[in-house]
Every structure is written in C-alpha cells, then in structure tokens.
Amino acid sequence: MGRTAILFPGQGSHETGMRDTVARTRPDLLSLVTELVGEDPFPRAELGTNFAQPAIFCASLAGWAALGRPEGDLMAGHSLGELGALVAAGVLSERDGLRLVVLRGRLMQEGR
C-alpha cells in the first residue's frame, strides 16, 4: 500500500474566504493570531508578510482541522508551510508555531 503525504502551502496561497474557514473551524486560533499580531491579519493579508504569513498559517491549520486532522506518513510544507507541517506532525505546539510565524513575517516585512 502507498504512503500518505500531507503538504502545507507557502505564502501566495491565500484566497478570499480563508478567514471564514478559520472563524468557523478554529475560532480559538483566530483569537490567538489576533492577539499575537495585534489585530486581525486577514483583512490586511495583501499588505505584507507580517499579515499574510500568520493568516496563511492559521488557514492551513484550520483546513487541516476541517479535514479531521488526517495523519500522514509524511508531513511537509513549502517555505511557510514547513511550520504548519511541524505543528501537524506534533513537533511544535500550535502556539509556538504561530509565534515563530508572526516573528518570521514581521522580520521578512522589515527586510531582515
């Protein structure tokens, strides 16, 4: 039998309505990202990595949750998606993963 890989997307994968998925599936995650970013990042996701990266990370985890948190033989991600894969694999806590994503997005926005 084949192996199952769960892949998490990187930046650029955001779309209209992803906030609705997070609000419906993971309202706790929406509250946490709003707290860590200082505001809801979804309305401003097009304005920079400091908003886009936390929004996409949350949408990825909410999408994974909406699918029933499937377990894969392999968890992988492209760029930002690597952090989502680490959370899904149980290597990082959600809170720590989100903290890293918020920091990563802010540093990228500042050009560091």
Side-chain angles (χ1 to χ4, degrees):
M1 183 178 269
R3 296 170 72 179
T4 300
I6 308 289
L7 302 174
F8 289 81
Q11 187 169 332
S13 60
H14 52 288
E15 63 183 31
T16 304
M18 68 181 183
R19 184 192 189 281
D20 296 337
T21 300
V22 177
R24 183 179 60 254
T25 309
R26 294 294 312 278
D28 58 315
L29 198 53
L30 182 56
S31 294
L32 181 59
V33 73
T34 300
E35 174 190 324
L36 293 176
V37 172
E39 64 182 283
D40 183 343
F42 289 91
R44 299 183 69 191
E46 297 287 338
L47 299 180
T49 57
N50 54 324
F51 298 114
Q53 298 231 338
I56 293 165
F57 177 81
C58 290
S60 295
L61 291 182
W64 177 65
L67 293 172
R69 297 176 189 244
E71 293 183 19
D73 298 305
L74 304 165
M75 299 287 205
H78 175 257
S79 190
L80 167 64
E82 293 175 16
L83 292 166
L86 288 170
V87 169
V91 176
L92 275 177
S93 72
E94 239 174 36
R95 181 176 283 274
D96 287 345
L98 186 52
R99 284 182 180 147
L100 285 171
V101 169
V102 169
L103 176 62
R104 180 182 196 267
R106 191 185 84 232
L107 292 173
M108 288 175 74
Q109 184 67 26
E110 293 172 0
R112 294 184 184 188

